[in-house]
Amino acid sequence: MKHEKIRKMKERVYIANLALPKASLVKLTWGNVSEIDRELGVIVIKPSGVSYSKMTAEDMVVTDLTGAVLEEGMKPSSDLATHVILYQTFLEIGSVVHTHSKYAVMWAQAGRELPAYGTTHADTFYGAVPCTRQLTATEVEEGYEVETGRVIAETFAELAIDPQAVPGVLVYGHGPFTWGPEPQKAVENSIVLDEIAEMALQTESINDKVKPIPNYLLDKHYFRKHGKNAYYGQ
């Protein structure tokens, strides 16, 4: 039973990883998707530096909840430690995605949060998508991937943001991470994040005095899709 569950996890993670270049979120090998099963005590993640066109579902790497590899095979993504910290901090999430998608990276490199300028944003993210502080030289040198996870957790704690309501973040100078209950949704959140990042960039080019939408409109669009009173869809 456990072996079959892990096999299905590998298949889901493989399919989700392939969705990234298809959605133009990844070039070369610049991205990764993982999934966690807390009951089984395992994380499955893309192998490090492997071409999307060559990898298989069986190449997906299985680790324990601390990131220790459990099966012989390829090395896990170099971002694994960041995923582990996010799973340890945001206990409700089931999958993490990291990309270097163009427009989200622009905002991360600018060190700016992504404001909720419209309802497309509000449908998925309940307010601004935060940008972390810059990592210190010591953090980068002593534990870059771990500290990346920690600075994300720190940002959400300091700003009192619910990671369920804002399922993504911009890491200063680096790029976006998104998450969700399962890989397909986490990838969808990455697609939305890059789309609204482009929209926001162009919006500011049209009107450099634009302000975020009012809370009543943010509330309407977010809560018609999320929560107990949601009514969007079948």
Side-chain angles (χ1 to χ4, degrees):
M1 180 65 74
K2 180 175 181 179
H3 177 76
E4 179 63 13
K5 286 185 176 180
I6 291 175
R7 186 191 68 78
K8 290 181 178 179
M9 285 180 73
K10 285 184 173 183
E11 185 67 23
R12 286 193 297 271
V13 170
Y14 169 66
I15 292 171
N17 273 288
L18 291 184
L20 298 181
K22 288 179 182 177
S24 300
L25 296 179
V26 163
K27 290 182 171 63
L28 302 177
T29 60
W30 304 344
N32 43 76
V33 181
S34 72
E35 181 181 353
I36 189 170
D37 187 316
R38 291 180 173 82
E39 290 185 2
L40 289 182
V42 299
I43 294 169
V44 175
I45 194 167
K46 178 185 178 289
S48 179
V50 176
S51 169
Y52 288 87
S53 63
K54 295 181 180 179
M55 70 184 185
T56 67
E58 194 54 37
D59 291 331
M60 301 302 104
V61 181
V62 182
T63 78
D64 66 16
L65 299 187
T66 69
V69 176
L70 297 177
E71 297 180 351
E72 290 187 5
M74 295 188 178
K75 295 188 300 182
S77 166
S78 58
D79 293 305
L80 171 61
T82 305
H83 292 233
V84 169
I85 296 295
L86 293 179
Y87 288 133
Q88 291 174 348
T89 306
F90 303 152
L91 299 180
E92 302 87 356
I93 69 175
S95 178
V96 173
V97 177
H98 173 51
T99 75
H100 287 253
S101 60
K102 183 181 296 183
Y103 293 99
V105 167
M106 289 181 185
W107 288 81
Q109 290 181 166
R112 286 189 58 191
E113 71 175 19
L114 182 61
Y117 284 142
T119 60
T120 310
H121 182 126
D123 282 340
T124 301
F125 296 92
Y126 187 51
V129 178
C131 185
T132 70
R133 63 170 173 81
Q134 182 67 273
L135 291 175
T136 67
T138 299
E139 288 170 332
V140 171
E141 291 166 5
E142 294 185 356
Y144 177 57
E145 291 81 12
V146 169
E147 296 300 337
T148 297
R150 286 176 178 165
V151 79
I152 295 170
E154 170 193 297
T155 300
F156 275 69
E158 289 184 350
L159 298 176
I161 298 174
D162 178 359
Q164 297 278 73
V166 181
V169 69
L170 305 169
V171 178
Y172 193 120
H174 186 175
F177 285 81
T178 63
W179 46 82
E182 39 78 27
Q184 181 180 352
K185 186 62 178 179
V187 169
E188 180 182 307
N189 290 337
S190 285
I191 293 171
V192 174
L193 179 55
D194 206 61
E195 196 73 11
I196 61 176
E198 181 181 8
M199 289 177 179
L201 176 67
Q202 298 299 336
T203 298
E204 290 191 356
S205 74
I206 296 168
N207 178 4
D208 61 6
K209 296 180 176 60
V210 63
K211 294 181 180 180
I213 56 173
N215 285 339
Y216 62 81
L217 187 56
L218 177 71
D219 287 349
K220 183 63 177 180
H221 269 262
Y222 183 79
F223 289 113
R224 73 177 187 161
K225 284 191 171 184
H226 306 271
K228 63 180 181 179
N229 295 319
Y231 62 88
Y232 177 89
Q234 300 302 313

